[in-house]
Amino acid sequence: MPILEIKNISKAYGSHRVFDGLTLDVEEHQVVCLIGASGCGKSTLLRCINGLEPIGSGEILIHSDRVSGPGVDVNALRRDVGIVFQSYNLFPHMTVMENITLAPRKVLNQPAREAEVQARHLLERIGLGQKANVYPDSLSGGQQQRVAIVRALAMGPMIMLLDEITSALDPELVSEVLNIVRDLAADGMTMVLATHEMGFAREVATKVCFLAEGKVYEEGPPEQIFSEPQGERTQAFLKRIVAAGRL
Amino acid sequence: MTMAHEINKERPSGLFPERRAFTSGAAPRDVTGWATTAVITALVIVFAFWATLRRLYGVSLTLGVSDYVLMPAAVILSIAVLAILIPAARSVSRARAARQCVSSGDLVNARILTSAASDCAYYTFGFAALLVAVIGFAQFLVANDLAVSRTFLLIPLMWHSFPLVFKAFWLNVYIFVVAEILVLVWGLIVAIARLMPGETARPIRAMATLYTDIFRGMPAIITMYLVGFGLPLSGVPLLGNLSAETYAIIALTLTFGAYVAEVYKAGIESIHWSQVAAARSLGLSYLQTMRHIIVPQAVRRIIPPLLNDFIGLQKDTALVNVIGAIDAFNQAKIISSNNFNLSAVTVVAFIFIAITIPQARLVDRMLEKDQRRLRGG
Ligand SMILES: Nc1ncnc2c1ncn2[C@@H]1O[C@H](COP(=O)(O)OP(=O)(O)O)[C@@H](O)[C@H]1O
Ligand SMILES: [Mg+2]
């Protein structure tokens, strides 16, 4: 029984059709990597899953419960589904501690003390215990992105969506962020991630989905997709990736 | 050891021209012409200044100002104005030196001297423009046998009317302080109404937009008139029987609430949408996102434009005189018509200028700091 089901969804921006009957299942504890050309809709798909973007037709189910369309409590949905963005999007006027505890306090009504204890624990866990009281702009990109991950984790999500979380980072900062994702995967967090880090996708993914033509054009275990891609477009895409020295 | 990179001479990439000579290294242009013009301008200004000074001196003597004060002042000023000749002279000497450097082939120093010469010339022109304004103003004051000075700047009358006018000014202060507080709250409410998302909020958005359109379009003096005379006339319960200053506060809040709503709206919209996405994705509601994420960040950015609107509001408190409250301007008008002289009104002008200048400078400073922060990344 998949924990997340995306059934035959369509979406268009004006006349530009981003999804045209896209279907995707995610099992519990699975790490699903979305790959595909820039503009193929990876970010849009993640934003649709947690209700930041409406979908045109089709439906999205979490735990067999429909979470798309009218009447859905999006705030409840977002408690179960955390998302981390490419550009971190930390709140610049709040300290790291405030960034992390805001939503638990205001949305889950956790007492401030409890939220802080939890936040401190999470920060220690990612090696940023010293940074609780600084503002985001004094952190490196890698540190900011780690805080953004922890901010999402503080809500206790069932599923994490990661949208190219290392694309904005200097190369030497990428590994500190990927290490957290590895740890999460090892702990059994269900994750859907859009990524350009093909090596990393190959390593952590249980399933790789290549998006093209508004659909999941090809999906399978990483060895199969990266070593023997079947579809013409998958092959062409991977050839370009290899030519760019990224695989 | 470095090895020269091997270059493929036969097959250029086509990405840059094959042969290209350096164009930097030409001699600087000659600025002696500018320097000479600066000297001539400076001399003309000095003579004009002296002539004006002489006229002022004569007029002041007839007004009975003591010569012990006048003589030294006149001497000091006539010497001080010679300062304009200094940059002019420097400009000429540097321009000459630059020429010599060019002929002796020292291009680097030629460029440095040329740039210094033209800087001095521009400084002279700027100084001259300032003095032209001063001379013009002085001539205006003594024109028509001192009529201008007597009408606007009759010192004894200004001296006597100051206490009365200043006391009446407290009414203006009361009005703008209360109105500013109300405007801050009201403007935010209107701005949030204008920015409500979704289909269902359409009527609220439309209402808020209509409000800002009307009150930004209507001259404040008309709003003041309609509120101050209309409400009492219509005898609306609660609103029909208030003091003139309360009507003024209502009118100014309505007018400036519309301006300030625009300021808030621009501030809120200037916060990148990804901040909203981040907050909403954590489960915060729209209003929580506004309250904790957007408004706190927007407030920092809108303080300068907000202060600008407040300066406008403070000046517009003088409009209460259309509904008959005795504020500083009305008081001054009464004094003026009793004396057939506008000097009391000049006093009001000075008071308004005196309270707004510090705020204007504060706005400048804040904007500058913002700019620096932005440039700093
Ligand atoms: N808000 C929007 N308005 C219009 N078009 C959009 C919007 N967001 C995304 N798109 C378009 O949808 C397509 C998918 O975008 P995106 O999901 O960002 O792709 P990816 O993340 O795979 O690079 C792109 O062609 C993009 O131009
Ligand atoms: Mg993207």
Side-chain angles (χ1 to χ4, degrees):
Chain A
M1 187 75 217
I3 187 173
L4 168 67
E5 298 163 75
I6 298 164
K7 288 191 177 165
N8 200 22
I9 64 166
S10 302
K11 176 170 181 67
Y13 288 113
S15 63
H16 175 58
R17 300 175 70 86
V18 184
F19 302 134
D20 192 5
L22 181 143
T23 296
L24 172 66
D25 285 349
V26 178
E27 304 283 344
E28 199 164 5
H29 310 310
Q30 241 184 357
V31 177
V32 174
C33 284
L34 307 177
I35 62 171
S38 184
C40 71
K42 303 180 292 292
S43 303
T44 306
L45 180 58
L46 297 180
R47 294 165 62 82
C48 287
I49 294 174
N50 97 335
L52 286 170
E53 288 281 347
I55 57 174
S57 64
E59 57 179 0
I60 300 177
L61 308 176
I62 289 183
H63 242 253
S64 311
D65 186 17
R66 184 177 165 138
V67 295
S68 60
V72 170
D73 180 356
V74 285
N75 295 336
L77 160 68
R78 290 171 188 151
R79 268 168 247 161
D80 293 337
V81 183
I83 187 167
V84 181
F85 304 94
Q86 180 176 344
S87 49
Y88 343 126
N89 302 358
L90 293 179
F91 306 130
H93 61 303
M94 294 183 172
T95 63
V96 166
M97 178 56 80
E98 289 163 344
N99 261 279
I100 300 172
T101 55
L102 177 73
R105 285 191 297 123
K106 300 297 169 193
V107 180
L108 304 179
N109 294 317
Q110 267 182 23
R113 276 306 276 280
E114 198 181 300
E116 274 176 32
V117 168
Q118 187 201 9
R120 213 165 275 284
H121 169 76
L122 285 166
L123 282 172
E124 298 288 350
R125 177 66 191 65
I126 59 162
L128 289 178
Q130 310 299 316
K131 302 288 187 185
N133 295 316
V134 308
Y135 285 88
D137 58 11
S138 66
L139 299 178
S140 74
Q143 291 172 330
Q144 291 194 45
Q145 192 59 292
R146 279 143 75 197
V147 171
I149 295 175
V150 161
R151 180 174 70 177
L153 289 175
M155 291 294 286
M158 311 294 294
I159 302 174
M160 285 283 278
L161 311 174
L162 310 178
D163 188 4
E164 295 196 23
I165 57 171
T166 56
S167 301
L169 297 180
D170 289 335
E172 82 273 17
L173 302 176
V174 168
S175 68
E176 64 188 52
V177 172
L178 292 187
N179 280 336
I180 297 182
V181 181
R182 265 189 205 103
D183 289 352
L184 284 173
D187 288 355
M189 172 65 78
T190 309
M191 286 187 282
V192 182
L193 43 124
T195 187
H196 278 152
E197 304 281 343
M198 296 301 163
F200 182 72
R202 193 170 197 163
E203 174 200 331
V204 299
T206 40
K207 176 158 92 171
V208 175
C209 298
F210 174 67
L211 265 54
E213 297 173 4
K215 296 183 177 53
V216 175
Y217 182 85
E218 181 168 351
E219 66 177 285
E223 316 81 64
Q224 183 198 316
I225 298 290
F226 289 120
S227 307
E228 314 153 19
Q230 305 298 308
E232 210 175 288
R233 299 196 57 161
T234 323
Q235 287 164 359
F237 172 72
L238 288 169
K239 204 178 256 169
R240 285 202 303 275
I241 295 287
V242 171
R246 300 290 287 272
L247 185 69
Chain B
M1 271 258 316
T2 53
M3 289 255 296
H5 196 71
E6 206 173 305
I7 293 170
N8 185 342
K9 296 218 172 85
E10 264 122 61
R11 294 174 46 216
S13 67
L15 293 172
F16 55 92
E18 253 178 282
R19 251 141 59 87
R20 172 96 160 59
F22 283 102
T23 44
S24 36
R29 80 206 145 83
D30 186 10
V31 289
T32 350
W34 271 120
T36 317
T37 318
V39 170
I40 294 169
T41 312
L43 285 173
V44 169
I45 291 291
V46 167
F47 286 121
F49 191 84
W50 282 347
T52 311
L53 211 55
R54 227 183 107 187
R55 181 134 182 245
L56 273 176
Y57 181 72
V59 162
S60 305
L61 278 181
T62 65
L63 284 177
V65 185
S66 156
D67 201 20
Y68 289 114
V69 182
L70 274 183
M71 199 58 194
V75 171
I76 290 172
L77 283 174
S78 23
I79 293 172
V81 73
L82 293 174
I84 194 177
L85 292 172
I86 297 171
R90 266 193 201 148
S91 180
V92 171
S93 70
R94 309 244 152 113
R96 276 222 194 100
R99 247 196 191 162
Q100 274 166 15
C101 285
V102 170
S103 54
S104 70
D106 182 359
L107 284 187
V108 172
N109 274 319
R111 274 186 218 119
I112 294 171
L113 286 165
T114 301
S115 138
S118 73
D119 279 355
C120 285
Y122 283 126
Y123 185 78
T124 310
F125 293 135
F127 203 162
L130 173 69
L131 286 175
V132 166
V134 170
I135 292 169
F137 186 66
Q139 294 284 3
F140 178 64
L141 286 182
V142 296
N144 193 11
D145 199 14
L146 279 184
V148 177
S149 304
R150 284 205 197 97
T151 310
F152 291 104
L153 296 165
L154 199 61
I155 308 281
L157 183 56
M158 288 172 79
W159 185 253
H160 289 303
S161 59
F162 184 78
L164 261 181
V165 170
F166 192 72
K167 206 166 142 225
F169 187 69
W170 285 109
L171 184 72
N172 300 72
V173 174
Y174 165 73
I175 293 173
F176 73 65
V177 168
V178 177
E180 280 173 7
I181 293 168
L182 294 177
V183 159
L184 275 183
V185 179
W186 176 233
L188 182 59
I189 294 172
V190 174
I192 289 186
R194 283 198 69 179
L195 290 168
M196 293 256 257
E199 237 353 78
T200 44
R202 190 184 284 262
I204 293 188
R205 281 200 300 269
M207 197 166 64
T209 309
L210 187 70
Y211 162 77
T212 46
D213 285 352
I214 289 176
F215 283 94
R216 274 196 310 169
M218 195 144 77
I221 194 166
I222 295 180
T223 311
M224 185 73 77
Y225 198 86
L226 289 177
V227 170
F229 288 118
L231 287 181
L233 239 142
S234 57
V236 187
L238 260 108
L239 293 176
N241 201 5
L242 302 171
S243 62
E245 49 267 32
T246 310
Y247 288 125
I249 289 170
I250 295 175
L252 289 172
T253 304
L254 286 172
T255 301
F256 282 87
Y259 290 122
V260 169
E262 286 306 295
V263 170
Y264 275 121
K265 180 166 168 279
I268 288 171
E269 284 174 336
S270 77
I271 306 298
H272 199 255
W273 60 265
S274 64
Q275 288 282 306
V276 178
R280 298 306 303 274
S281 76
L282 288 166
L284 269 70
S285 68
Y286 174 73
L287 284 178
Q288 282 176 322
T289 303
M290 278 288 165
R291 156 89 181 73
H292 298 291
I293 307 301
I294 306 305
V295 172
Q297 291 186 59
V299 162
R300 287 155 216 230
R301 299 190 192 180
I302 64 171
I303 289 176
L306 202 59
L307 274 179
N308 268 336
D309 279 353
F310 277 1
I311 292 172
L313 190 156
Q314 289 163 19
K315 293 186 302 179
D316 278 2
T317 54
L319 296 177
V320 278
N321 85 85
V322 302
I323 52 179
I326 306 296
D327 76 321
F329 179 39
N330 230 349
Q331 181 65 265
K333 272 180 25 187
I334 294 168
I335 299 173
S336 298
S337 54
N338 289 343
N339 294 276
F340 300 109
N341 187 292
L342 289 183
S343 299
V345 179
T346 311
V347 171
V348 187
F350 282 153
I351 294 177
F352 272 108
I353 292 170
I355 65 158
T356 48
I357 281 181
Q359 300 176 77
R361 287 291 80 73
L362 183 67
V363 174
D364 287 352
R365 282 252 308 270
M366 292 173 93
L367 285 175
E368 226 169 78
K369 226 168 83 188
D370 251 24
Q371 286 288 318
R372 257 206 310 269
R373 211 193 33 154
L374 281 181
R375 261 185 265 124

